[in-house]
Amino acid sequence: MNSQNITIVGAGYVGYSLALMLSLDNKVTLLEIDDQKISLINKNKKILEDDYISEFLKDKKLNIKATNNAKEAFAFARYIIIAVPTSYDKNKQSFDTSILDSVINRAIAENSDAIIIIKSTVSIGYCQEISQFFDTDKIVYSPEFLREGSALRDNLYPSRLVLGTKNKKLLEDYIDIINSATLSRNFPILLTGYNEAESIKLFSNAYLANRVSFFNELDSFCMSKNMNVKDVINGICFDKRIGDFYNNPSFGYGGYCLPKDTKQLVSDFRNIPQKIFSAIIDSNITRAEFISEDIINKGIKRCGIYRLVMKKNSDNFRDSAIIRIIDCLKNSGIRISIFEPMIDKKEFCGCSIETDIDKFKNDNNIIIANRISSEIKDVEAKVYTRDVFNVD
């Protein structure tokens, strides 16, 4: 397979991990606006908390260059892969695609021959609309299915490759590029339409959010009945139809994808009858309220929040369930301090940030942790968590 010029827009965990993988056999230009990320990438230093990336950078020769020069980045690209954020706009009840729209417009203006592959999560119907607007069949929608903290590994060992397109012939070389770059040779490849590919992404994440909510409500029941939740979950998950995965109770789902994707799917249903997907969102709110009430009922005066990030090896606390719990606890008058190395401010959400882990552990009556860690194992007696299996 001949080396190709590939431009990737956005150095988040999706774009960055994909750039690392593809740069082994191709010339990759990573277009990014963050000067610090650009500098680190060009020095061959990692920009994400990911153990697999650390090992990858040690012994691989990568052909990758980061830049903020769009004209340079787009000029000679055969493929332009876009992985920019699309946050959910509550007022519009839809994804805000303004950044994505702008990038597509600039890419086509600079290089109309390039094949544009969209990784950003979009509403159902977006790619059909944008391809008609630009009168092109060179737009492809290829959703990502990566876990935070394992993005590179998930790219190298993909569960599947979904490609939504109007022109399947365009993708023969791209499929060869992905096959050459990955370490797995047995993953399914699905060529489908735009709407189908967009639906696969949203329904996949809604199912995962539903699964999280299911085991969280099961945990709430067991807590209320003073039952051994670990035994109940194991007994259920020995059934191979259910499976022993994604079943560890938490304070609720959060992060970059599940909250916004579930809300978008509810919006996409519009006048189509549905109950499940709205209930998933309600369940997540109810879970946070249940956990908060359980903590408040313990009568503590001061509590510590151990980490805001969703899980181990993550640098993300967007829409984290623990933040909803912090809001509830503050309203009850409990004094709160937070240990979160990702924050360099003195306060967050009106709570003090403690940078000394020993002082943090000593000063608090109870330590609330979505996920247990070796760092707080020595004070496990005062740790409040629903982490039953000590896994993400």
Side-chain angles (χ1 to χ4, degrees):
M1 181 71 203
N2 293 330
S3 175
Q4 297 284 351
N5 289 327
I6 300 173
T7 291
I8 298 177
V9 185
Y13 74 97
V14 177
Y16 177 58
S17 60
L18 189 60
L20 292 177
M21 180 182 80
L22 294 178
S23 66
L24 286 172
D25 299 318
N26 303 278
K27 182 180 178 182
V28 174
T29 301
L30 188 48
L31 182 61
E32 171 59 41
I33 60 173
D34 188 319
D35 289 336
Q36 185 177 9
K37 284 185 178 182
I38 291 170
S39 177
L40 289 171
I41 292 167
N42 288 334
K43 291 176 182 176
N44 203 41
K45 295 182 178 179
K46 70 174 183 176
I47 62 171
L48 293 177
E49 288 299 319
D50 187 321
D51 292 339
Y52 211 81
I53 289 176
S54 299
E55 294 302 312
F56 197 81
L57 291 174
K58 282 181 185 177
D59 57 3
K60 298 290 190 298
K61 187 176 181 180
L62 308 178
N63 189 353
I64 182 172
K65 176 187 176 183
T67 180
N68 58 10
N69 188 323
K71 191 175 186 67
E72 172 192 327
F74 292 140
F76 302 106
R78 170 63 174 156
Y79 298 97
I80 297 173
I81 302 173
I82 306 175
V84 297
T86 51
S87 299
Y88 186 79
D89 188 320
K90 290 187 287 187
N91 294 324
K92 294 181 179 178
Q93 294 189 322
S94 183
F95 286 133
D96 179 359
T97 60
S98 56
I99 299 174
L100 176 60
D101 298 340
S102 177
V103 172
I104 294 171
N105 185 64
R106 182 71 185 272
I108 291 175
E110 297 288 353
N111 185 348
S112 60
D113 292 328
I115 297 169
I116 295 174
I117 299 173
I118 299 172
K119 286 285 183 183
S120 305
T121 309
V122 297
S123 59
I124 299 166
Y126 174 84
C127 288
Q128 185 69 39
E129 183 179 330
I130 206 79
S131 65
Q132 289 174 351
F133 179 82
F134 286 105
D135 191 23
T136 180
D137 65 353
K138 292 183 178 178
I139 290 177
V140 178
Y141 185 64
S142 181
E144 54 82 15
F145 305 100
L146 310 178
R147 296 166 297 170
E148 293 173 50
S150 302
L152 178 57
R153 184 178 184 84
D154 289 347
N155 267 315
L156 291 167
Y157 298 93
S159 60
R160 71 277 209 197
L161 176 63
V162 176
L163 297 163
T165 179
K166 282 203 248 180
N167 187 347
K168 295 179 181 179
K169 291 182 180 179
L170 284 177
L171 294 171
E172 292 175 359
D173 286 347
Y174 182 73
I175 291 171
D176 287 341
I177 288 169
I178 297 297
N179 273 322
S180 296
T182 59
L183 298 180
S184 172
R185 296 290 179 268
N186 299 313
F187 59 91
I189 298 173
L190 176 63
L191 296 178
T192 187
Y194 288 142
N195 291 355
E196 289 77 7
E198 292 158 348
S199 297
I200 289 166
K201 171 65 174 179
L202 295 184
F203 277 97
S204 292
N205 277 347
Y207 174 80
L208 294 176
N210 183 47
R211 190 171 172 104
V212 171
S213 297
F214 176 89
F215 285 103
N216 280 344
E217 291 205 358
L218 183 159
D219 182 54
S220 295
F221 182 87
C222 289
M223 288 172 66
S224 299
K225 299 291 185 180
N226 197 27
M227 294 162 56
N228 186 320
V229 66
K230 190 172 185 178
D231 286 349
V232 176
I233 292 174
N234 281 333
I236 292 169
C237 292
F238 286 146
D239 187 329
K240 292 180 180 179
R241 295 170 300 175
I242 297 171
D244 185 21
F245 61 93
Y246 231 69
N247 61 358
N248 192 24
S250 66
F251 296 155
Y253 65 78
Y256 289 117
C257 296
L258 300 192
K260 70 184 182 75
D261 291 6
T262 308
K263 291 172 184 175
Q264 179 62 60
L265 187 56
V266 169
S267 178
D268 282 338
F269 261 86
R270 291 185 179 90
N271 297 321
I272 302 170
Q274 64 82 22
K275 294 291 185 182
I276 291 175
F277 303 104
S278 295
I280 293 170
I281 297 169
D282 293 341
S283 173
N284 206 42
I285 296 169
T286 299
R287 173 64 169 179
E289 292 171 348
F290 177 85
I291 292 294
S292 300
E293 185 177 349
D294 190 52
I295 296 168
I296 291 167
N297 287 341
K298 296 182 182 301
I300 51 108
K301 301 296 182 184
R302 184 173 179 84
C303 78
I305 304 295
Y306 176 76
R307 307 300 307 270
L308 300 173
V309 293
M310 292 299 301
K311 59 181 184 177
K312 300 164 190 171
N313 294 324
S314 172
D315 61 357
N316 164 42
F317 47 85
R318 183 191 295 181
D319 283 330
S320 176
I322 196 81
I323 296 175
R324 289 190 291 274
I325 291 170
I326 288 171
D327 288 337
C328 291
L329 297 184
K330 281 196 309 182
N331 292 335
S332 73
I334 296 174
R335 291 182 62 195
I336 301 170
S337 66
I338 301 170
F339 178 77
E340 179 49 76
M342 297 295 299
I343 297 178
D344 57 5
K345 301 176 183 177
K346 292 184 178 180
E347 283 192 356
F348 181 84
C349 286
C351 304
S352 62
I353 298 294
E354 177 56 67
T355 57
D356 184 325
I357 185 63
D358 291 324
K359 187 174 186 302
F360 171 79
K361 289 187 286 190
N362 290 331
D363 285 354
N364 291 296
N365 307 120
I366 188 172
I367 294 171
I368 301 167
N370 188 50
R371 290 292 179 248
I372 199 70
S373 164
S374 58
E375 198 168 33
I376 53 174
K377 276 280 188 180
D378 59 324
V379 290
E380 195 167 5
K382 64 163 93 172
V383 173
Y384 181 99
T385 184
R386 298 312 304 160
D387 184 0
V388 175
F389 297 102
N390 194 18
V391 294
D392 290 328

